[in-house]
Each structure stands twice: as C-alpha cells, then as structure tokens.
Amino acid sequence: MKLPDFFESDRAAIEAALDKFLPPVEIQPSSIHEAMRYSVFAGGKRLRPIMCVESARMFSDPPDAAIPAACTFEFIHTYSLIHDDLPALDNDDLRRGKPTCHKKFGEPIAILAGDALLTLAFETLAKSPIEPQRGIQIVSEVARAAGTVRGMIGGQVADLEAERRPIELLALEFIHRSKTAALIRTSIVAGAIAGGAEEQDVERLRSFGEYIGWAFQVVDDILDVEESSAALGKTAGKDQAQQKATYPALLGLERSREVATELAGKALSELDFYGARGDRLRQLGEFLVARRA
Ligand code: GRG
C-alpha cells in the first residue's frame, strides 16, 4: 500500500525543511554534517513528520507552524536508528536500504551524528513560529517521549533486557508503547498543539496517536517475520535471531494481526468526532497498519 497521493506534497515540504535545518556539508567539521545528512536523507518514509503536519492541519490550514516540530521528530527518529544499529546495540549493516551510518563513517562519527541529530532536534523545535507557552509544552512532550520514563530510551532498555527471556504480555505492551508509540503519539500531539488545538482535542489525538503507534510496532514485528530484507531496507528476521520480545513470538502471527487491527480500530474511532476533517489522519493511520515495509 502506497501513501495517499496528497501526502506527497507534505513529504516534499518536509524534505525541503529538513535540508534547511541541517547544517550544510561545507560547514566545518564536514564529516559530521555529511554523516547526519547521509542518514536523514537515506530514504525514510517521513511518517512522524507527516503525522505531525496533518494533525496540525486539522486546526490550522496551511499547517506551516508545525514544520519545525515535524522535522524535530525525523531528527530524533533518525538518531535512534543510527544508535540502534551500532555494534553495541543491534549491530546492523543495513538501514533504509543503505549501509548503516557506522558502516559508512565509522563508529565514532556515527555515535556523534546521533548525538548531533538529537541536539539539532531541539534547536529546530525552538524555531517554531508559535506562542511561547505552546512551544514550552511541546518541548516538554518531546523530551519525555524520547526519554527514559515510558519514552523511547526507557522502551529500548526494557527491550534489551527482555532478550532471550520469557515475557508477559503486559511487559511486551510496555516495551512497544514506550520504544515506538511514545514518539509517534507525540508527533501527533505536537502537531495539534502547534496548530492551536484546544486541550480536549489534544487529548483525543493523544489517544489516537498512542493506539496507532502501538499498532505500528505490532505491524513492524509482523513484517520482520513476513518480509524480505530487500523489501524492508533493513535486515529481516533479526527479531527471531536475537530472540527479541515480539507479538508474533508471544502470540503467533495470526493473533498478532488481530491485535494490530484491534489497536488500529481503537485509534481510528478517536477520529469519528471530527468527521471529514479527520480524513487525512485517518488515511495515514490506515496506511500505518496496512504497510508492507
Ligand atoms: C537507540 C536511543 C535509542 C533508541 C532506539 C527502538 C529504537 C529506539 C530503535 C530501533 C529501531 C526500531 C525497532 C524502532 C522502532 C520504531 C520503528 C519500527 C522504526 C522504523 O520506523 P519507520 O518504518 O522507518 O518509520 P523509516 O526508515 O521509514 O523512517
């Protein structure tokens, strides 16, 4: 399933903004800027920034105020992929269909490129043309989503510690909601805040984001079993090889597919309130669970 056509224009706007916010290679030290650009422009789907922009559009069209926040999520996401691929973590050679950052530039520069993207993410967020109070709220949401308390790093730690051990469903849910759903949920929350949403709308979209982000990681687990490395642009079958805690490992493929559908259903029902105004986010949500890569 391809992304709906009208998301192509979002993607083009995001690509241009990412290019604008990233330091040019000509600025010293060139090596780090080259590595940051290499990983950011290696071919990601840009789902988090598109989610952010479309969430903002529900409250202000055009959603230009959300563009810096949208880039923030792509920078944080790319940093997490660079670090996750390092020998100390997943030790992977392939990402987004290309050699991983450390394979191309060496481990020291890859570590620093990840660090630099995380730092740049917050510098970029500070450029949001929005009310300061809304800006501070987004900074706090983003920092928590990327952090250790039910955020991306906390989820990654729990994921590491669950390898090669029996796991209960509740613990698996914690991992998926922290390591993956937190950032996706927050891209939608930040878009809504940047777009000027009222608190009730932010909470409705937070719930949409939580369920769709959770479903996204269940689908990711399924694709790791069902798809090839060529289709995914990363090494397939690694979860089983590393005895990772996944939905297919715990519940089997069929039940995992049902869980993904149930979670997506809960997510999409949050958009019912908005009628046609929720159509783009609805289509994006449907894409997230129907995708094959
Ligand atoms: C290392 C700090 C640190 C965090 C790691 C879990 C994680 C955070 C990274 C590992 C990669 C992974 C399993 C991420 C979970 C989210 C996920 C399924 C990422 C892939 O996202 P896509 O499909 O990728 O949006 P593209 O390349 O299209 O951007």
PDB file of all heavy atoms in Angstrom, residues 43-48 74 77-85 89-90 95-96 146 152-153 155-156 159 179-180 184 216-217 220 234 291 293, ligand 1:
ATOM      1  N   GLY A  43      16.371   7.829   2.896  1.00  0.00           N
ATOM      2  CA  GLY A  43      15.139   7.278   2.301  1.00  0.00           C
ATOM      3  C   GLY A  43      14.055   6.885   3.278  1.00  0.00           C
ATOM      4  O   GLY A  43      13.301   5.955   3.018  1.00  0.00           O
ATOM      5  N   GLY A  44      13.933   7.567   4.403  1.00  0.00           N
ATOM      6  CA  GLY A  44      12.852   7.254   5.350  1.00  0.00           C
ATOM      7  C   GLY A  44      11.490   7.643   4.793  1.00  0.00           C
ATOM      8  O   GLY A  44      11.386   8.502   3.913  1.00  0.00           O
ATOM      9  N   LYS A  45      10.439   7.046   5.346  1.00  0.00           N
ATOM     10  CA  LYS A  45       9.078   7.304   4.856  1.00  0.00           C
ATOM     11  C   LYS A  45       8.541   8.651   5.347  1.00  0.00           C
ATOM     12  O   LYS A  45       7.533   9.131   4.859  1.00  0.00           O
ATOM     13  CB  LYS A  45       8.136   6.180   5.338  1.00  0.00           C
ATOM     14  CG  LYS A  45       8.485   4.814   4.734  1.00  0.00           C
ATOM     15  CD  LYS A  45       7.507   3.726   5.141  1.00  0.00           C
ATOM     16  CE  LYS A  45       7.678   3.224   6.560  1.00  0.00           C
ATOM     17  NZ  LYS A  45       8.952   2.531   6.847  1.00  0.00           N
ATOM     18  N   ARG A  46       9.162   9.206   6.388  1.00  0.00           N
ATOM     19  CA  ARG A  46       8.756  10.511   6.976  1.00  0.00           C
ATOM     20  C   ARG A  46       7.379  10.430   7.630  1.00  0.00           C
ATOM     21  O   ARG A  46       6.616  11.424   7.616  1.00  0.00           O
ATOM     22  CB  ARG A  46       8.748  11.640   5.917  1.00  0.00           C
ATOM     23  CG  ARG A  46       9.974  11.736   5.027  1.00  0.00           C
ATOM     24  CD  ARG A  46      11.238  11.889   5.783  1.00  0.00           C
ATOM     25  NE  ARG A  46      12.368  12.220   4.917  1.00  0.00           N
ATOM     26  CZ  ARG A  46      13.625  11.897   5.199  1.00  0.00           C
ATOM     27  NH1 ARG A  46      13.925  11.196   6.295  1.00  0.00           N
ATOM     28  NH2 ARG A  46      14.587  12.253   4.402  1.00  0.00           N
ATOM     29  N   LEU A  47       7.041   9.278   8.173  1.00  0.00           N
ATOM     30  CA  LEU A  47       5.699   9.116   8.748  1.00  0.00           C
ATOM     31  C   LEU A  47       5.453  10.035   9.928  1.00  0.00           C
ATOM     32  O   LEU A  47       4.364  10.610  10.061  1.00  0.00           O
ATOM     33  CB  LEU A  47       5.495   7.661   9.191  1.00  0.00           C
ATOM     34  CG  LEU A  47       5.485   6.638   8.064  1.00  0.00           C
ATOM     35  CD1 LEU A  47       5.389   5.228   8.625  1.00  0.00           C
ATOM     36  CD2 LEU A  47       4.317   6.913   7.120  1.00  0.00           C
ATOM     37  N   ARG A  48       6.439  10.183  10.800  1.00  0.00           N
ATOM     38  CA  ARG A  48       6.231  11.015  12.000  1.00  0.00           C
ATOM     39  C   ARG A  48       6.021  12.485  11.621  1.00  0.00           C
ATOM     40  O   ARG A  48       5.072  13.109  12.101  1.00  0.00           O
ATOM     41  CB  ARG A  48       7.384  10.802  12.993  1.00  0.00           C
ATOM     42  CG  ARG A  48       7.384   9.392  13.571  1.00  0.00           C
ATOM     43  CD  ARG A  48       8.748   8.907  14.003  1.00  0.00           C
ATOM     44  NE  ARG A  48       8.765   7.461  14.246  1.00  0.00           N
ATOM     45  CZ  ARG A  48       8.867   6.540  13.274  1.00  0.00           C
ATOM     46  NH1 ARG A  48       8.972   6.893  11.996  1.00  0.00           N
ATOM     47  NH2 ARG A  48       8.855   5.242  13.560  1.00  0.00           N
ATOM     48  N   GLU A  74      11.705  13.780  12.906  1.00  0.00           N
ATOM     49  CA  GLU A  74      12.541  12.999  11.970  1.00  0.00           C
ATOM     50  C   GLU A  74      13.990  12.966  12.453  1.00  0.00           C
ATOM     51  O   GLU A  74      14.671  11.950  12.327  1.00  0.00           O
ATOM     52  CB  GLU A  74      12.439  13.581  10.558  1.00  0.00           C
ATOM     53  CG  GLU A  74      12.982  12.667   9.476  1.00  0.00           C
ATOM     54  CD  GLU A  74      12.242  11.328   9.347  1.00  0.00           C
ATOM     55  OE1 GLU A  74      11.064  11.222   9.745  1.00  0.00           O
ATOM     56  OE2 GLU A  74      12.871  10.368   8.856  1.00  0.00           O
ATOM     57  N   HIS A  77      14.035  10.499  15.429  1.00  0.00           N
ATOM     58  CA  HIS A  77      13.850   9.134  14.902  1.00  0.00           C
ATOM     59  C   HIS A  77      15.142   8.649  14.221  1.00  0.00           C
ATOM     60  O   HIS A  77      15.605   7.530  14.468  1.00  0.00           O
ATOM     61  CB  HIS A  77      12.664   9.166  13.921  1.00  0.00           C
ATOM     62  CG  HIS A  77      12.487   7.940  13.104  1.00  0.00           C
ATOM     63  ND1 HIS A  77      12.327   6.682  13.659  1.00  0.00           N
ATOM     64  CD2 HIS A  77      12.436   7.769  11.756  1.00  0.00           C
ATOM     65  CE1 HIS A  77      12.179   5.804  12.685  1.00  0.00           C
ATOM     66  NE2 HIS A  77      12.251   6.429  11.525  1.00  0.00           N
ATOM     67  N   THR A  78      15.754   9.505  13.408  1.00  0.00           N
ATOM     68  CA  THR A  78      16.967   9.090  12.692  1.00  0.00           C
ATOM     69  C   THR A  78      18.119   8.849  13.672  1.00  0.00           C
ATOM     70  O   THR A  78      18.880   7.884  13.523  1.00  0.00           O
ATOM     71  CB  THR A  78      17.368  10.149  11.639  1.00  0.00           C
ATOM     72  OG1 THR A  78      16.246  10.393  10.795  1.00  0.00           O
ATOM     73  CG2 THR A  78      18.538   9.677  10.790  1.00  0.00           C
ATOM     74  N   TYR A  79      18.237   9.711  14.685  1.00  0.00           N
ATOM     75  CA  TYR A  79      19.268   9.474  15.721  1.00  0.00           C
ATOM     76  C   TYR A  79      19.061   8.102  16.354  1.00  0.00           C
ATOM     77  O   TYR A  79      20.017   7.346  16.570  1.00  0.00           O
ATOM     78  CB  TYR A  79      19.242  10.595  16.767  1.00  0.00           C
ATOM     79  CG  TYR A  79      19.042  10.166  18.212  1.00  0.00           C
ATOM     80  CD1 TYR A  79      20.052   9.506  18.920  1.00  0.00           C
ATOM     81  CD2 TYR A  79      17.837  10.402  18.871  1.00  0.00           C
ATOM     82  CE1 TYR A  79      19.846   9.100  20.245  1.00  0.00           C
ATOM     83  CE2 TYR A  79      17.632   9.997  20.175  1.00  0.00           C
ATOM     84  CZ  TYR A  79      18.635   9.330  20.857  1.00  0.00           C
ATOM     85  OH  TYR A  79      18.425   8.916  22.140  1.00  0.00           O
ATOM     86  N   SER A  80      17.797   7.752  16.651  1.00  0.00           N
ATOM     87  CA  SER A  80      17.548   6.470  17.339  1.00  0.00           C
ATOM     88  C   SER A  80      17.921   5.298  16.430  1.00  0.00           C
ATOM     89  O   SER A  80      18.433   4.287  16.900  1.00  0.00           O
ATOM     90  CB  SER A  80      16.092   6.374  17.801  1.00  0.00           C
ATOM     91  OG  SER A  80      15.226   6.001  16.749  1.00  0.00           O
ATOM     92  N   LEU A  81      17.694   5.463  15.136  1.00  0.00           N
ATOM     93  CA  LEU A  81      18.049   4.375  14.206  1.00  0.00           C
ATOM     94  C   LEU A  81      19.572   4.227  14.112  1.00  0.00           C
ATOM     95  O   LEU A  81      20.110   3.115  14.125  1.00  0.00           O
ATOM     96  CB  LEU A  81      17.461   4.645  12.810  1.00  0.00           C
ATOM     97  CG  LEU A  81      15.931   4.749  12.731  1.00  0.00           C
ATOM     98  CD1 LEU A  81      15.489   5.027  11.290  1.00  0.00           C
ATOM     99  CD2 LEU A  81      15.238   3.494  13.243  1.00  0.00           C
ATOM    100  N   ILE A  82      20.287   5.357  14.028  1.00  0.00           N
ATOM    101  CA  ILE A  82      21.762   5.315  13.951  1.00  0.00           C
ATOM    102  C   ILE A  82      22.321   4.608  15.191  1.00  0.00           C
ATOM    103  O   ILE A  82      23.154   3.700  15.085  1.00  0.00           O
ATOM    104  CB  ILE A  82      22.361   6.736  13.851  1.00  0.00           C
ATOM    105  CG1 ILE A  82      21.976   7.403  12.538  1.00  0.00           C
ATOM    106  CG2 ILE A  82      23.887   6.684  13.990  1.00  0.00           C
ATOM    107  CD1 ILE A  82      22.405   8.878  12.441  1.00  0.00           C
ATOM    108  N   HIS A  83      21.850   5.014  16.356  1.00  0.00           N
ATOM    109  CA  HIS A  83      22.376   4.410  17.588  1.00  0.00           C
ATOM    110  C   HIS A  83      21.931   2.959  17.733  1.00  0.00           C
ATOM    111  O   HIS A  83      22.710   2.108  18.170  1.00  0.00           O
ATOM    112  CB  HIS A  83      21.947   5.243  18.800  1.00  0.00           C
ATOM    113  CG  HIS A  83      22.814   6.454  19.003  1.00  0.00           C
ATOM    114  ND1 HIS A  83      22.783   7.222  20.152  1.00  0.00           N
ATOM    115  CD2 HIS A  83      23.750   7.022  18.211  1.00  0.00           C
ATOM    116  CE1 HIS A  83      23.660   8.215  20.042  1.00  0.00           C
ATOM    117  NE2 HIS A  83      24.248   8.117  18.873  1.00  0.00           N
ATOM    118  N   ASP A  84      20.702   2.682  17.336  1.00  0.00           N
ATOM    119  CA  ASP A  84      20.214   1.296  17.458  1.00  0.00           C
ATOM    120  C   ASP A  84      21.014   0.332  16.578  1.00  0.00           C
ATOM    121  O   ASP A  84      21.172  -0.836  16.904  1.00  0.00           O
ATOM    122  CB  ASP A  84      18.735   1.253  17.072  1.00  0.00           C
ATOM    123  CG  ASP A  84      18.113  -0.097  17.412  1.00  0.00           C
ATOM    124  OD1 ASP A  84      18.101  -0.441  18.608  1.00  0.00           O
ATOM    125  OD2 ASP A  84      17.665  -0.807  16.504  1.00  0.00           O
ATOM    126  N   ASP A  85      21.511   0.836  15.454  1.00  0.00           N
ATOM    127  CA  ASP A  85      22.269  -0.021  14.521  1.00  0.00           C
ATOM    128  C   ASP A  85      23.709  -0.274  14.968  1.00  0.00           C
ATOM    129  O   ASP A  85      24.403  -1.122  14.394  1.00  0.00           O
ATOM    130  CB  ASP A  85      22.292   0.634  13.119  1.00  0.00           C
ATOM    131  CG  ASP A  85      20.931   0.593  12.449  1.00  0.00           C
ATOM    132  OD1 ASP A  85      20.130  -0.298  12.785  1.00  0.00           O
ATOM    133  OD2 ASP A  85      20.664   1.464  11.592  1.00  0.00           O
ATOM    134  N   LEU A  89      24.531  -2.199  20.178  1.00  0.00           N
ATOM    135  CA  LEU A  89      23.088  -2.471  20.285  1.00  0.00           C
ATOM    136  C   LEU A  89      22.717  -3.550  19.258  1.00  0.00           C
ATOM    137  O   LEU A  89      23.049  -4.702  19.441  1.00  0.00           O
ATOM    138  CB  LEU A  89      22.283  -1.175  20.145  1.00  0.00           C
ATOM    139  CG  LEU A  89      22.426  -0.244  21.375  1.00  0.00           C
ATOM    140  CD1 LEU A  89      21.896   1.146  21.101  1.00  0.00           C
ATOM    141  CD2 LEU A  89      21.678  -0.836  22.571  1.00  0.00           C
ATOM    142  N   ASP A  90      22.078  -3.175  18.159  1.00  0.00           N
ATOM    143  CA  ASP A  90      21.618  -4.215  17.217  1.00  0.00           C
ATOM    144  C   ASP A  90      22.683  -4.727  16.259  1.00  0.00           C
ATOM    145  O   ASP A  90      22.501  -5.741  15.606  1.00  0.00           O
ATOM    146  CB  ASP A  90      20.410  -3.694  16.424  1.00  0.00           C
ATOM    147  CG  ASP A  90      19.122  -4.292  16.922  1.00  0.00           C
ATOM    148  OD1 ASP A  90      19.155  -4.921  17.999  1.00  0.00           O
ATOM    149  OD2 ASP A  90      18.080  -4.130  16.258  1.00  0.00           O
ATOM    150  N   ARG A  95      20.318  -0.166   6.640  1.00  0.00           N
ATOM    151  CA  ARG A  95      19.224   0.669   7.157  1.00  0.00           C
ATOM    152  C   ARG A  95      18.718   1.533   6.014  1.00  0.00           C
ATOM    153  O   ARG A  95      19.490   2.151   5.308  1.00  0.00           O
ATOM    154  CB  ARG A  95      19.744   1.544   8.307  1.00  0.00           C
ATOM    155  CG  ARG A  95      18.774   2.551   8.840  1.00  0.00           C
ATOM    156  CD  ARG A  95      17.571   1.958   9.510  1.00  0.00           C
ATOM    157  NE  ARG A  95      17.866   1.303  10.774  1.00  0.00           N
ATOM    158  CZ  ARG A  95      16.934   0.725  11.538  1.00  0.00           C
ATOM    159  NH1 ARG A  95      15.674   0.700  11.154  1.00  0.00           N
ATOM    160  NH2 ARG A  95      17.284   0.127  12.677  1.00  0.00           N
ATOM    161  N   ARG A  96      17.422   1.593   5.867  1.00  0.00           N
ATOM    162  CA  ARG A  96      16.808   2.372   4.797  1.00  0.00           C
ATOM    163  C   ARG A  96      17.439   1.986   3.444  1.00  0.00           C
ATOM    164  O   ARG A  96      17.680   2.834   2.579  1.00  0.00           O
ATOM    165  CB  ARG A  96      16.938   3.876   5.079  1.00  0.00           C
ATOM    166  CG  ARG A  96      16.118   4.308   6.306  1.00  0.00           C
ATOM    167  CD  ARG A  96      16.295   5.758   6.699  1.00  0.00           C
ATOM    168  NE  ARG A  96      15.167   6.227   7.521  1.00  0.00           N
ATOM    169  CZ  ARG A  96      15.117   7.416   8.119  1.00  0.00           C
ATOM    170  NH1 ARG A  96      16.120   8.241   8.029  1.00  0.00           N
ATOM    171  NH2 ARG A  96      14.073   7.768   8.820  1.00  0.00           N
ATOM    172  N   ALA A 146      11.060  11.034  24.220  1.00  0.00           N
ATOM    173  CA  ALA A 146      12.364  10.486  23.805  1.00  0.00           C
ATOM    174  C   ALA A 146      13.133   9.914  24.996  1.00  0.00           C
ATOM    175  O   ALA A 146      14.173   9.281  24.816  1.00  0.00           O
ATOM    176  CB  ALA A 146      13.195  11.587  23.137  1.00  0.00           C
ATOM    177  N   MET A 152      11.114   6.612  24.614  1.00  0.00           N
ATOM    178  CA  MET A 152      11.854   5.763  23.668  1.00  0.00           C
ATOM    179  C   MET A 152      13.059   5.057  24.298  1.00  0.00           C
ATOM    180  O   MET A 152      13.268   3.859  24.082  1.00  0.00           O
ATOM    181  CB  MET A 152      12.290   6.643  22.494  1.00  0.00           C
ATOM    182  CG  MET A 152      12.934   5.891  21.371  1.00  0.00           C
ATOM    183  SD  MET A 152      13.317   6.989  20.004  1.00  0.00           S
ATOM    184  CE  MET A 152      14.700   7.891  20.641  1.00  0.00           C
ATOM    185  N   ILE A 153      13.846   5.795  25.078  1.00  0.00           N
ATOM    186  CA  ILE A 153      15.037   5.153  25.667  1.00  0.00           C
ATOM    187  C   ILE A 153      14.623   4.125  26.725  1.00  0.00           C
ATOM    188  O   ILE A 153      15.163   3.013  26.771  1.00  0.00           O
ATOM    189  CB  ILE A 153      16.012   6.203  26.247  1.00  0.00           C
ATOM    190  CG1 ILE A 153      16.574   7.061  25.108  1.00  0.00           C
ATOM    191  CG2 ILE A 153      17.163   5.515  26.997  1.00  0.00           C
ATOM    192  CD1 ILE A 153      17.500   8.173  25.544  1.00  0.00           C
ATOM    193  N   GLY A 155      11.962   2.376  26.732  1.00  0.00           N
ATOM    194  CA  GLY A 155      11.466   1.205  25.995  1.00  0.00           C
ATOM    195  C   GLY A 155      12.598   0.383  25.407  1.00  0.00           C
ATOM    196  O   GLY A 155      12.563  -0.851  25.400  1.00  0.00           O
ATOM    197  N   GLN A 156      13.619   1.102  24.937  1.00  0.00           N
ATOM    198  CA  GLN A 156      14.763   0.401  24.347  1.00  0.00           C
ATOM    199  C   GLN A 156      15.505  -0.407  25.418  1.00  0.00           C
ATOM    200  O   GLN A 156      15.939  -1.535  25.168  1.00  0.00           O
ATOM    201  CB  GLN A 156      15.696   1.433  23.696  1.00  0.00           C
ATOM    202  CG  GLN A 156      16.958   0.869  23.083  1.00  0.00           C
ATOM    203  CD  GLN A 156      16.688   0.081  21.813  1.00  0.00           C
ATOM    204  OE1 GLN A 156      15.547  -0.094  21.393  1.00  0.00           O
ATOM    205  NE2 GLN A 156      17.742  -0.428  21.198  1.00  0.00           N
ATOM    206  N   ASP A 159      13.491  -3.402  26.213  1.00  0.00           N
ATOM    207  CA  ASP A 159      13.597  -4.310  25.068  1.00  0.00           C
ATOM    208  C   ASP A 159      14.893  -5.129  25.155  1.00  0.00           C
ATOM    209  O   ASP A 159      14.899  -6.352  25.011  1.00  0.00           O
ATOM    210  CB  ASP A 159      13.584  -3.437  23.790  1.00  0.00           C
ATOM    211  CG  ASP A 159      13.422  -4.239  22.526  1.00  0.00           C
ATOM    212  OD1 ASP A 159      12.731  -5.259  22.564  1.00  0.00           O
ATOM    213  OD2 ASP A 159      13.998  -3.843  21.493  1.00  0.00           O
ATOM    214  N   LYS A 179       8.962   2.325  23.414  1.00  0.00           N
ATOM    215  CA  LYS A 179      10.042   2.493  22.431  1.00  0.00           C
ATOM    216  C   LYS A 179       9.545   3.046  21.097  1.00  0.00           C
ATOM    217  O   LYS A 179      10.278   3.725  20.403  1.00  0.00           O
ATOM    218  CB  LYS A 179      10.824   1.185  22.227  1.00  0.00           C
ATOM    219  CG  LYS A 179      10.238   0.202  21.255  1.00  0.00           C
ATOM    220  CD  LYS A 179      11.207  -0.928  20.901  1.00  0.00           C
ATOM    221  CE  LYS A 179      10.534  -1.901  19.950  1.00  0.00           C
ATOM    222  NZ  LYS A 179      11.332  -3.039  19.576  1.00  0.00           N
ATOM    223  N   THR A 180       8.288   2.802  20.755  1.00  0.00           N
ATOM    224  CA  THR A 180       7.795   3.217  19.441  1.00  0.00           C
ATOM    225  C   THR A 180       6.592   4.154  19.514  1.00  0.00           C
ATOM    226  O   THR A 180       6.577   5.206  18.878  1.00  0.00           O
ATOM    227  CB  THR A 180       7.412   1.981  18.606  1.00  0.00           C
ATOM    228  OG1 THR A 180       8.527   1.098  18.575  1.00  0.00           O
ATOM    229  CG2 THR A 180       7.026   2.365  17.191  1.00  0.00           C
ATOM    230  N   ILE A 184       5.643   8.435  18.130  1.00  0.00           N
ATOM    231  CA  ILE A 184       4.587   8.608  17.119  1.00  0.00           C
ATOM    232  C   ILE A 184       3.423   9.402  17.731  1.00  0.00           C
ATOM    233  O   ILE A 184       2.922  10.364  17.131  1.00  0.00           O
ATOM    234  CB  ILE A 184       4.125   7.233  16.579  1.00  0.00           C
ATOM    235  CG1 ILE A 184       5.270   6.610  15.766  1.00  0.00           C
ATOM    236  CG2 ILE A 184       2.846   7.363  15.738  1.00  0.00           C
ATOM    237  CD1 ILE A 184       4.995   5.235  15.205  1.00  0.00           C
ATOM    238  N   PHE A 216       1.494   0.239  15.055  1.00  0.00           N
ATOM    239  CA  PHE A 216       2.620   0.353  14.111  1.00  0.00           C
ATOM    240  C   PHE A 216       3.739  -0.617  14.509  1.00  0.00           C
ATOM    241  O   PHE A 216       4.328  -1.289  13.663  1.00  0.00           O
ATOM    242  CB  PHE A 216       3.123   1.798  14.122  1.00  0.00           C
ATOM    243  CG  PHE A 216       4.298   2.062  13.229  1.00  0.00           C
ATOM    244  CD1 PHE A 216       4.124   2.334  11.883  1.00  0.00           C
ATOM    245  CD2 PHE A 216       5.590   2.057  13.729  1.00  0.00           C
ATOM    246  CE1 PHE A 216       5.219   2.593  11.058  1.00  0.00           C
ATOM    247  CE2 PHE A 216       6.684   2.304  12.919  1.00  0.00           C
ATOM    248  CZ  PHE A 216       6.496   2.576  11.580  1.00  0.00           C
ATOM    249  N   GLN A 217       4.048  -0.699  15.815  1.00  0.00           N
ATOM    250  CA  GLN A 217       5.139  -1.583  16.237  1.00  0.00           C
ATOM    251  C   GLN A 217       4.730  -3.056  16.162  1.00  0.00           C
ATOM    252  O   GLN A 217       5.562  -3.912  15.840  1.00  0.00           O
ATOM    253  CB  GLN A 217       5.622  -1.232  17.646  1.00  0.00           C
ATOM    254  CG  GLN A 217       6.824  -2.049  18.103  1.00  0.00           C
ATOM    255  CD  GLN A 217       8.040  -1.924  17.181  1.00  0.00           C
ATOM    256  OE1 GLN A 217       8.500  -0.822  16.903  1.00  0.00           O
ATOM    257  NE2 GLN A 217       8.546  -3.052  16.675  1.00  0.00           N
ATOM    258  N   ASP A 220       5.269  -3.808  12.694  1.00  0.00           N
ATOM    259  CA  ASP A 220       6.721  -3.913  12.456  1.00  0.00           C
ATOM    260  C   ASP A 220       7.231  -5.315  12.850  1.00  0.00           C
ATOM    261  O   ASP A 220       8.040  -5.908  12.142  1.00  0.00           O
ATOM    262  CB  ASP A 220       7.449  -2.831  13.256  1.00  0.00           C
ATOM    263  CG  ASP A 220       8.777  -2.465  12.633  1.00  0.00           C
ATOM    264  OD1 ASP A 220       8.764  -1.845  11.549  1.00  0.00           O
ATOM    265  OD2 ASP A 220       9.827  -2.825  13.202  1.00  0.00           O
ATOM    266  N   LYS A 234      16.097  -3.123   5.630  1.00  0.00           N
ATOM    267  CA  LYS A 234      16.887  -3.439   6.832  1.00  0.00           C
ATOM    268  C   LYS A 234      16.885  -4.958   6.955  1.00  0.00           C
ATOM    269  O   LYS A 234      16.079  -5.636   6.293  1.00  0.00           O
ATOM    270  CB  LYS A 234      16.289  -2.768   8.076  1.00  0.00           C
ATOM    271  CG  LYS A 234      14.885  -3.218   8.420  1.00  0.00           C
ATOM    272  CD  LYS A 234      14.346  -2.521   9.664  1.00  0.00           C
ATOM    273  CE  LYS A 234      12.934  -3.030   9.979  1.00  0.00           C
ATOM    274  NZ  LYS A 234      12.326  -2.405  11.134  1.00  0.00           N
ATOM    275  N   ARG A 291       0.800  -1.139   5.712  1.00  0.00           N
ATOM    276  CA  ARG A 291       2.084  -1.048   5.003  1.00  0.00           C
ATOM    277  C   ARG A 291       2.779  -2.410   4.943  1.00  0.00           C
ATOM    278  O   ARG A 291       2.569  -3.253   5.808  1.00  0.00           O
ATOM    279  CB  ARG A 291       2.986  -0.009   5.689  1.00  0.00           C
ATOM    280  CG  ARG A 291       3.548  -0.494   7.006  1.00  0.00           C
ATOM    281  CD  ARG A 291       4.034   0.613   7.893  1.00  0.00           C
ATOM    282  NE  ARG A 291       4.311   0.107   9.223  1.00  0.00           N
ATOM    283  CZ  ARG A 291       5.492  -0.303   9.662  1.00  0.00           C
ATOM    284  NH1 ARG A 291       6.544  -0.214   8.885  1.00  0.00           N
ATOM    285  NH2 ARG A 291       5.657  -0.802  10.858  1.00  0.00           N
ATOM    286  N   ALA A 293       6.275  -2.318   4.344  1.00  0.00           N
ATOM    287  CA  ALA A 293       7.705  -2.013   4.569  1.00  0.00           C
ATOM    288  C   ALA A 293       7.800  -0.900   5.587  1.00  0.00           C
ATOM    289  O   ALA A 293       6.826  -0.189   5.858  1.00  0.00           O
ATOM    290  CB  ALA A 293       8.367  -1.581   3.277  1.00  0.00           C
TER     291      ALA A 293
HETATM  292  C1  GRG B   1      18.965   3.701  20.460  1.00  0.00           C
HETATM  293  C2  GRG B   1      18.160   5.692  21.781  1.00  0.00           C
HETATM  294  C3  GRG B   1      17.874   4.525  21.001  1.00  0.00           C
HETATM  295  C4  GRG B   1      16.600   4.236  20.792  1.00  0.00           C
HETATM  296  C5  GRG B   1      16.221   3.159  19.984  1.00  0.00           C
HETATM  297  C6  GRG B   1      13.691   1.153  19.408  1.00  0.00           C
HETATM  298  C7  GRG B   1      14.558   2.153  18.776  1.00  0.00           C
HETATM  299  C8  GRG B   1      14.817   3.308  19.578  1.00  0.00           C
HETATM  300  C9  GRG B   1      15.217   1.997  17.603  1.00  0.00           C
HETATM  301  C10 GRG B   1      15.293   0.726  16.942  1.00  0.00           C
HETATM  302  C11 GRG B   1      14.627   0.607  15.658  1.00  0.00           C
HETATM  303  C12 GRG B   1      13.234   0.306  15.966  1.00  0.00           C
HETATM  304  C13 GRG B   1      12.780  -1.102  16.177  1.00  0.00           C
HETATM  305  C14 GRG B   1      12.451   1.306  16.092  1.00  0.00           C
HETATM  306  C15 GRG B   1      11.079   1.149  16.437  1.00  0.00           C
HETATM  307  C16 GRG B   1      10.320   2.017  15.575  1.00  0.00           C
HETATM  308  C17 GRG B   1      10.371   1.582  14.159  1.00  0.00           C
HETATM  309  C18 GRG B   1       9.518   0.457  13.760  1.00  0.00           C
HETATM  310  C19 GRG B   1      11.168   2.236  13.334  1.00  0.00           C
HETATM  311  C20 GRG B   1      11.109   2.159  11.877  1.00  0.00           C
HETATM  312  O1  GRG B   1      10.338   3.266  11.544  1.00  0.00           O
HETATM  313  P1  GRG B   1       9.904   3.607  10.054  1.00  0.00           P
HETATM  314  O2  GRG B   1       9.284   2.380   9.428  1.00  0.00           O
HETATM  315  O3  GRG B   1      11.327   3.857   9.384  1.00  0.00           O
HETATM  316  O4  GRG B   1       9.091   4.838  10.081  1.00  0.00           O
HETATM  317  P2  GRG B   1      11.751   4.854   8.198  1.00  0.00           P
HETATM  318  O5  GRG B   1      13.119   4.361   7.786  1.00  0.00           O
HETATM  319  O6  GRG B   1      10.741   4.755   7.095  1.00  0.00           O
HETATM  320  O7  GRG B   1      11.826   6.213   8.783  1.00  0.00           O
END
